[in-house]
Amino acid sequence: MAERMESPLRREQIAEAALTIVVEQGLGAVTVRRVAEAVGISAAALYRHYKNKGDILTAVLEEHHEMALANLRQAAAQGTTPLEVLELIYRGMMKMVIKYRALPVIFLSDVLWFEETRLSELKLRHHKLVRGRFLEIFKQGQAQKQIRSDIRPEELFVHFLGLIAMPALICVRDVQDVDMPRQITANWELFIHAVRV
């Protein structure tokens, strides 16, 4: 049973179940029992691996980080220029935003920042790794004279995150608030217009 529970597919199912509960009922509704029910396993089986909400949210953050890293690797392998890589990363991240609408609730929650400090430490560690990769891409783009060099890579990164964060926050509870395909295209066009040499 332990091997099946710890499989990547099972971890993804647990993360998805927890995120669905957050969207539909709020972060306070996430319990081991509810997640187990949503995944279709016994609460006892899930308790062997996840003792509480903090453990489940840790699994959610780990799953998100793995998906983000896979997106970065895939974009780096497919893109031929820094701007192409950034666009592939952006579009991949927006697919995650659409699929996992509850992530901003968790990222901004008191549970993450005040109640479960291991979660905030994990989130900050993940953010630092991803930020470092983005800074490398922006620096490459500047060195290749594709991206404006009068703006520091650190500010370009924050601007880039805004392309993702604002639609994500707006869509947390109701995906009808934003026409996501149009917004994704518009955000990318505005970003390119702002940063391309």
Side-chain angles (χ1 to χ4, degrees), residues 100-166:
Y100 303 108
R101 295 183 298 138
L103 284 170
V105 174
I106 295 169
F107 292 164
L108 299 173
S109 72
D110 286 350
V111 172
L112 188 143
W113 293 106
F114 302 110
E115 296 170 24
E116 294 277 348
T117 54
R118 65 186 165 134
L119 295 177
S120 60
E121 291 165 4
L122 182 62
K123 178 66 181 140
L124 291 171
R125 199 165 49 248
H126 291 171
H127 176 77
K128 184 178 179 180
L129 289 170
V130 170
R131 179 181 180 271
R133 179 63 186 120
F134 272 99
L135 294 182
E136 290 172 13
I137 297 167
F138 284 121
K139 289 174 185 175
Q140 289 170 357
Q142 289 175 330
Q144 294 175 18
K145 307 230 183 286
Q146 285 189 333
I147 296 174
R148 293 171 51 173
S149 59
D150 60 328
I151 303 172
R152 292 182 335 138
E154 292 80 1
E155 283 78 43
L156 290 168
F157 172 67
V158 171
H159 181 71
F160 186 88
L161 284 185
L163 304 177
I164 299 158
M166 289 314 300

Side-chain angles (χ1 to χ4, degrees), residues 4-64:
R4 292 177 61 213
M5 181 64 65
E6 288 303 310
S7 72
L9 176 60
R10 183 59 82 185
R11 282 195 307 271
E12 184 177 343
Q13 290 172 332
I14 290 164
E16 286 185 13
L19 290 168
T20 299
I21 292 167
V22 172
V23 166
E24 294 175 355
Q25 302 172 46
L27 188 57
V30 174
T31 64
V32 174
R33 186 168 304 284
R34 283 190 180 118
V35 172
E37 185 178 298
V39 173
I41 59 175
S42 73
L46 193 59
Y47 270 116
R48 282 195 287 270
H49 301 277
Y50 302 95
K51 303 295 183 208
N52 53 39
K53 181 190 307 191
D55 289 349
I56 291 172
L57 294 179
T58 298
V60 169
L61 293 179
E62 289 287 359
E63 185 68 21
H64 172 262

Side-chain angles (χ1 to χ4, degrees), residues 176-190:
Q176 304 307 315
D177 285 346
V178 176
D179 179 341
M180 287 299 273
R182 289 181 69 129
Q183 192 63 53
I184 290 167
T185 299
N187 280 2
W188 184 253
E189 288 176 7
L190 290 167

Side-chain angles (χ1 to χ4, degrees), residues 75-116:
Q78 292 177 348
T80 58
T81 68
L83 285 176
E84 285 179 9
V85 171
L86 286 169
E87 182 174 7
L88 290 167
I89 292 170
Y90 171 68
R91 293 191 182 278
M93 290 179 120
M94 293 311 292
K95 285 179 185 174
M96 283 192 284
V97 164
I98 292 166
K99 186 172 182 180
Y100 303 108
R101 295 183 298 138
L103 284 170
V105 174
I106 295 169
F107 292 164
L108 299 173
S109 72
D110 286 350
V111 172
L112 188 143
W113 293 106
F114 302 110
E115 296 170 24
E116 294 277 348

